[in-house]
């Protein structure tokens, strides 16, 4: 049994790594042969984070390579696609594969349909606003990371929809084994330059509690410019690295995930929260989208809908060692029960078998 995995990125891309690539060992153990064909290379990702642009010739090369893989589609039992086959092109490839009888599974951890239906470019909005609906209808199964994405697939008329959350490897994200008494308290955030704007939105609360409790703000994956934004407090901007991300989270006393209410934000899968929880770190999050159910069901922290609530909950956790420990343990337990690849891996394997049968 063979799977052609058409991811968007290699391991350097979080969505590809977490939604697809980390399941390969479970599939191989079940007898599947998985061939990975990512659309965009590592150079593209590095340019993206450094705000450089790829050339039109780069994209021609990327798309041509993907096209050559599609010519071999009949050699595989399943095509496992991350989001869409050709971004910013109509869903012709997906429709043709469906007409040819190919089994196609599409996976979503983000509301990428808003790239089209909310685009400021009137031509993109006119011609592609319903593209992802077509992709979903043409697939054998839609795998959604949260209910918001699943509801969109249902409205699109997808034949089969399965919700699988974005999860961590519970063996790699081990829990904090002690509370450090000889260091500053650390408020931590993990993300990318594209999402650091949400941290700036609660700047006043972060500065206030850091000054009040002599705490430090640690931003993993943010742009170095954040040092200037938070120059009034002790702030550390740490480059993201897959090999050290769990270690960085274990240094945190509180993990934060601020967001704003919006269509894009409702499509997010709360992965930062799950990372914090896996390391036994209590969380504070904005009550947006799947964040609400993750925090409420796990009893791992608090939801903050205003700067004053951020101040209140941060102050509470920074002043209570016992509550930090209790909420952190609750989060770790929930990861072990639900938000781990160890739990979701067998579910993904079963999904593949059900698709071909």
């Amino acid at each position: 049994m063979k799977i052609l995995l058409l991811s968007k990125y290699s391991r350097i891309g979080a969505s590809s790594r977490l939604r697809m690539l980390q399941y390969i060992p479970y599939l191989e153990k079940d007898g599947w042969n998985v061939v990975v064909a990512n659309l965009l290379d590592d150079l593209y990702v590095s340019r993206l984070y450094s705000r450089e642009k790829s050339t039109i010739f780069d994209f021609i090369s990327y798309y041509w390579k993907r096209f050559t893989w599609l010519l071999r589609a009949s050699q595989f039992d399943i095509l496992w696609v991350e989001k869409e086959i050709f971004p910013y092109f109509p869903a012709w490839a997906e429709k043709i594969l469906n007409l040819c009888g190919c089994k196609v599974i599409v996976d979503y951890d983000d509301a990428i349909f808003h790239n089209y239906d909310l685009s400021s470019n009137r031509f993109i909005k006119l011609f592609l606003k319903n593209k992802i609906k077509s992709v979903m209808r043409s697939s054998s199964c839609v795998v959604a990371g949260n209910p918001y994405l699943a509801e969109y697939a249902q409205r699109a008329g997808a034949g089969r929809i399965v919700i699988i959350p974005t999860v961590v490897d519970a063996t790699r994200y081990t829990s904090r084994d002690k509370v450090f008494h000889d260091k500053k308290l650390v408020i931590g955030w993990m993300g990318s330059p594209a999402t650091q704007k949400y941290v700036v939105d609660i700047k006043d609360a972060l500065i206030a509690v850091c000054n009040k409790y002599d705490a430090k703000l640690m931003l993993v994956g943010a742009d170095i410019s954040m040092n200037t934004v938070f120059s009034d407090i002790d702030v550390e901007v740490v480059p993201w690295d897959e090999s050290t991300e769990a270690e960085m989270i274990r240094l945190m006393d509180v993990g934060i995930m601020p967001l704003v209410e919006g269509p894009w934000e409702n499509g997010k899968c709360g992965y930062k929260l799950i990372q914090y929880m896996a390391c036994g770190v209590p969380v504070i999050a904005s009550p947006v989208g799947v964040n609400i159910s993750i925090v409420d069901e796990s009893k791992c922290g608090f939801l903050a809908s205003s700067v004053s609530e951020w101040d209140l909950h941060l102050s509470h956790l920074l002043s209570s060692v016992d509550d930090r420990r209790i909420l952190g343990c609750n989060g770790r337990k929930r990861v072990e029960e639900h938000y781990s690849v160890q739990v979701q891996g067998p579910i993904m394997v079963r999904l593949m078998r059900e698709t071909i049968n």
Side-chain angles (χ1 to χ4, degrees):
M1 297 180 293
K2 296 181 67 176
I3 296 174
L4 177 58
L5 196 165
L6 295 171
S7 63
K8 190 171 184 179
Y9 309 105
S10 64
R11 286 195 63 85
I12 197 173
S15 60
S16 303
R17 182 177 70 254
L18 301 170
R19 297 296 302 177
M20 308 178 92
L21 300 180
Q22 71 170 337
Y23 288 103
I24 291 177
Y26 291 87
L27 292 164
E28 290 178 339
K29 187 177 180 180
D30 190 57
W32 293 88
N33 177 20
V34 183
V35 177
V36 179
N38 48 287
L39 174 65
L40 304 172
D41 57 21
D42 292 352
L43 179 59
Y44 172 87
V45 179
S46 64
R47 284 173 177 163
L48 185 67
Y49 285 138
S50 61
R51 298 176 184 177
E52 298 177 26
K53 290 186 177 181
S54 295
T55 68
I56 185 65
F57 300 105
D58 292 323
F59 284 103
I60 291 172
S61 173
Y62 297 147
Y63 280 45
W64 173 253
K65 186 176 179 181
R66 171 146 291 188
F67 175 74
T68 61
W69 275 110
L70 293 182
L71 295 177
R72 289 174 268 179
S74 61
Q75 301 173 16
F76 297 88
D77 298 285
I78 292 177
L79 273 67
W80 189 10
V81 179
E82 182 179 357
K83 300 181 176 74
E84 55 191 330
I85 293 177
F86 293 113
Y88 289 95
F89 269 64
W92 297 330
E94 288 87 355
K95 290 179 179 178
I96 291 171
L97 289 170
N98 182 41
L99 290 173
C100 292
C102 295
K103 301 289 187 179
V104 179
I105 296 175
V106 288
D107 186 281
Y108 297 91
D109 71 332
D110 220 341
I112 70 147
F113 36 84
H114 292 322
N115 279 340
Y116 305 123
D117 60 20
L118 295 181
S119 176
S120 59
N121 185 306
R122 62 177 181 172
F123 294 104
I124 290 175
K125 190 171 183 177
L126 176 63
F127 293 107
L128 297 177
K129 64 180 179 180
N130 293 316
K131 178 204 172 168
I132 300 303
K133 289 181 180 179
S134 296
V135 173
M136 290 175 167
R137 282 196 299 271
S138 300
S139 68
S140 303
C141 180
V142 174
V143 180
N146 63 46
Y148 181 81
L149 303 174
E151 288 167 9
Y152 184 89
Q154 186 175 35
R155 293 195 302 272
R160 187 183 185 204
I161 305 163
V162 177
I163 296 179
I164 295 181
T166 303
V167 297
V168 298
D169 181 347
T171 63
R172 191 167 75 88
Y173 285 81
T174 55
S175 186
R176 286 164 54 114
D177 56 0
K178 64 179 178 178
V179 176
F180 300 97
H181 296 284
D182 58 346
K183 72 171 185 66
K184 278 189 171 185
L185 292 168
V186 176
I187 300 170
W189 173 88
M190 179 165 288
S192 70
T195 55
Q196 66 188 30
K197 61 186 177 182
Y198 302 121
V199 179
V200 179
D201 289 340
I202 61 167
K203 172 184 173 182
D204 291 345
L206 291 169
I207 291 176
V209 296
C210 283
N211 285 329
K212 182 177 179 179
Y213 294 95
D214 190 28
K216 180 172 82 171
L217 178 63
M218 182 166 70
L219 305 173
V220 182
D223 188 270
I224 198 69
S225 64
M226 294 293 274
N227 280 321
T228 303
V229 175
F230 290 96
S231 59
D232 295 335
I233 59 174
D234 184 359
V235 59
E236 181 182 9
V237 176
V238 182
W240 175 86
D241 188 285
E242 182 185 358
S243 65
T244 60
E245 61 180 349
E247 178 185 343
M248 292 297 102
I249 293 174
R250 282 193 289 272
L251 296 175
M252 301 175 185
D253 295 284
V254 180
I256 62 172
M257 187 176 176
L259 286 175
V260 297
E261 179 65 45
W264 270 108
E265 290 74 15
N266 274 283
K268 292 185 175 297
C269 292
Y271 181 63
K272 292 183 186 66
L273 297 183
I274 294 163
Q275 286 181 294
Y276 304 146
M277 292 158 57
C279 293
V281 176
V283 308
I284 305 176
S286 298
V288 176
V290 77
N291 284 6
I292 300 171
S293 59
I294 291 176
V295 175
D296 285 347
E297 293 172 6
S298 305
K299 296 180 174 58
C300 59
F302 300 101
L303 296 168
S305 57
S306 65
V307 173
S308 60
E309 288 187 2
W310 276 98
D311 191 319
L312 176 67
H313 296 315
L314 283 166
S315 296
H316 175 81
L317 287 180
L318 292 178
S319 62
S320 177
V321 174
D322 290 339
D323 280 0
R324 293 202 304 271
R325 183 184 291 113
I326 292 169
L327 295 173
C329 288
N330 289 346
R332 173 65 191 186
K333 181 181 179 183
R334 182 60 175 159
V335 167
E336 292 173 349
E337 294 172 344
H338 185 66
Y339 292 110
S340 68
V341 69
Q342 285 75 17
V343 173
Q344 299 298 331
I347 295 174
M348 184 66 77
V349 169
R350 186 166 66 247
L351 169 64
M352 295 294 174
R353 285 193 168 273
E354 289 172 352
T355 300
I356 64 170
N357 292 330

